[in-house]
Amino acid sequence: MPKIKDITNLLERLAPLRYQESYDNAGLQTGDAQAEVTGVLLTLDCTEAVIDEALKKGCNLIVAHHPVIFKGLKQLTGRNYVERTIIKAIQHNIAIYASHTNLDNVLYGVNTKIADKLELQQQRILINKPQTLMQLVSFVPVENTDEVLQALHKAGAGNIGEYSNCSFQVTGTGSFLPSDKASPAIGQAGKAEEVQENRIEVLFPAYLQSTVMAALQKAHPYEEVAHYLYSLENQNQEVGIGMIGELAEEMTEEAFLAYLKQKMQLQGLRYTTIGDKKVKRVAVCGGAGSFLIKDAIRQGADAFVTGDVKYHEFFDAESQLMIADIGHYESEVFTKEIFYDTISKNFSNFAVLISEVNTNPVRYTF
Ligand SMILES: [Zn+2]
């Protein structure tokens, strides 16, 4: 039977914890990572009602988008819903795992899900996260090159977009003089040596640095492995916040509002008008995305779909684009489908259930 860590490792391949924002607290919040999974319940928020549902359905792992422990806890006495939820989870051996801003910051995460629901075409990340890529250059004897490259690829180096096992190499002559105390793989101590070597180059995500370096050290035949590590300024097309894309056909303001309501299953929404201007290019950000309004305008979006927009932030639309505040919960509720697809595609020996609890604390009346 798979263990809880097998599920969390899988979710972290999709959304590495290193991509969470500095204020966040994603990851395993309660529970034993080594425990066997009896069932997984998927939710946007982990509340007491969700713990009850997990108990009723025999699930000992809850995967949530929002971390129930977000700020520090100084006591656990059950005086608020956070403490009561944690106490109940621990009492019943229920593990709680949160994939939060790390899932906002990856391709195929929260924002791609919204863009897919709106059937946006030519999707790309709105703002790429800087400095997430590195380059490794090393020098390997010609006959060992394949073995070293294979080890680097296995460690996650050389995956670029839809391409894997990418590398560059060029052959040259390496020279070295081992000291009397050295035990060289090629040549002898105290004798100058020349070897045909390949200079190999691979790109990798910065969070894999220690894994990739360990793989290089292990696979490389030399005692001292010559290498250069570079932090790159190149944009990583797979890491960043928000998405932008185009509707198949441009729409009037009225038609777009109806389209949004239908596709995102909304009861209502708050928006700024663009009058007679048509909507074709649409930017989206799940949750509270108003910090991206100016970027959406700069990239020519006709509409920006998000949640939690404050009164004064609506003025930032400047009639250049429609700000559509569809609600925090409503913008992210389909995140559960990402968890469902990811886990059920890889495991079939336990139940993966989408929670039936509506955790939205906000209700509407008209
Ligand atoms: Zn959120």
Side-chain angles (χ1 to χ4, degrees):
M1 208 59 177
K3 293 177 173 169
I4 282 168
K5 73 170 170 56
D6 297 321
I7 316 299
T8 61
N9 285 346
L10 173 70
L11 292 169
E12 283 164 27
R13 281 205 287 282
L14 169 71
L17 290 179
R18 283 281 291 271
Y19 290 150
Q20 67 180 304
E21 298 298 329
S22 55
Y23 57 81
D24 200 7
N25 190 36
L28 192 64
Q29 304 230 296
T30 68
D32 175 6
Q34 300 298 330
E36 287 185 353
V37 177
T38 60
V40 185
L41 187 63
L42 312 172
T43 183
L44 195 64
D45 307 280
C46 187
T47 61
E48 290 169 275
V50 175
I51 304 273
D52 288 337
E53 186 185 10
L55 282 171
K56 205 168 84 189
K57 294 178 174 169
C59 299
N60 67 344
L61 172 62
I62 294 172
V63 176
H65 179 47
H66 295 130
V68 61
I69 306 176
F70 194 58
K71 298 177 227 152
L73 287 175
K74 290 204 170 182
Q75 58 271 112
L76 277 171
T77 54
R79 64 188 173 150
N80 58 40
Y81 85 93
V82 172
E83 293 183 10
R84 287 192 299 276
T85 303
I86 298 301
I87 290 169
K88 198 173 240 186
I90 293 171
Q91 281 172 339
H92 294 94
N93 290 322
I94 288 180
I96 302 173
Y97 179 85
S99 184
H100 190 213
T101 53
N102 48 324
L103 192 61
D104 294 332
N105 274 326
V106 290
L107 197 61
Y108 310 121
V110 175
N111 298 309
T112 295
K113 177 54 82 174
I114 303 170
D116 286 347
K117 290 283 171 192
L118 297 179
E119 295 173 30
L120 300 184
Q121 303 172 350
Q122 295 134 48
Q123 293 178 18
R124 60 185 167 77
I125 286 175
L126 188 62
I127 298 293
N128 297 99
K129 201 173 174 70
Q131 290 164 331
T132 58
L133 284 174
M134 294 187 83
Q135 184 189 26
L136 170 67
V137 175
S138 188
F139 304 86
V140 191
V142 170
E143 61 272 25
N144 301 98
T145 301
D146 282 349
E147 193 186 333
V148 171
L149 279 174
Q150 269 176 33
L152 293 173
H153 294 325
K154 210 168 157 226
N159 296 321
I160 302 170
E162 297 303 315
Y163 297 84
S164 58
N165 298 4
C166 305
S167 67
F168 176 80
Q169 55 180 281
V170 61
T171 310
T173 306
S175 57
F176 50 85
L177 171 64
S179 83
D180 292 345
K181 290 178 189 136
S183 40
I186 296 171
Q188 301 165 14
K191 186 166 174 269
E193 191 68 47
E194 283 196 348
V195 182
Q196 285 295 98
E197 291 179 343
N198 282 324
R199 174 192 165 106
I200 59 167
E201 303 183 7
V202 284
L203 292 189
F204 61 90
Y207 76 93
L208 288 178
Q209 185 180 337
S210 55
T211 314
V212 168
M213 287 311 297
L216 175 69
Q217 298 286 352
K218 193 155 177 252
H220 200 291
Y222 288 0
E223 206 175 5
E224 303 284 351
V225 179
H227 68 277
Y228 305 125
L229 267 180
Y230 302 99
S231 284
L232 300 181
E233 295 296 326
N234 301 38
Q235 280 196 351
N236 187 340
Q237 307 299 334
E238 298 180 352
V239 186
I241 189 74
M243 290 292 286
I244 189 163
E246 315 258 332
L247 295 168
E249 300 285 338
E250 63 175 22
M251 294 184 194
T252 63
E253 176 176 297
E254 201 181 17
F256 181 66
L257 290 169
Y259 183 78
L260 258 185
K261 278 194 194 166
Q262 184 227 330
K263 295 289 181 186
M264 301 304 289
Q265 299 175 19
L266 309 174
Q267 296 175 56
L269 71 150
R270 303 186 304 154
Y271 69 98
T272 60
T273 182
I274 47 170
D276 293 335
K277 200 179 159 194
K278 301 280 197 301
V279 179
K280 174 90 163 116
R281 185 172 296 173
V282 178
V284 305
C285 182
S290 54
F291 66 99
L292 290 172
I293 292 171
K294 289 195 171 72
D295 294 295
I297 293 174
R298 257 196 295 274
Q299 297 196 30
D302 306 307
F304 179 51
V305 179
T306 187
D308 281 353
V309 180
K310 292 183 186 157
Y311 177 75
H312 288 287
E313 292 166 345
F314 280 106
F315 284 100
D316 292 338
E318 300 270 13
S319 309
Q320 292 181 66
L321 91 175
M322 174 200 289
I323 295 175
D325 182 342
I326 63 171
H328 193 128
Y329 179 88
E330 289 79 1
S331 70
E332 294 184 328
V333 67
F334 301 110
T335 302
K336 293 186 245 186
E337 294 176 3
I338 305 173
F339 297 141
Y340 182 84
D341 292 343
T342 306
I343 300 171
S344 56
K345 234 178 249 165
N346 288 276
F347 295 98
S348 54
N349 31 6
F350 51 80
V352 182
L353 306 170
I354 290 182
S355 169
E356 291 167 60
V357 179
N358 176 358
T359 59
N360 191 358
V362 182
R363 298 294 146 109
Y364 301 90
T365 177
F366 297 98

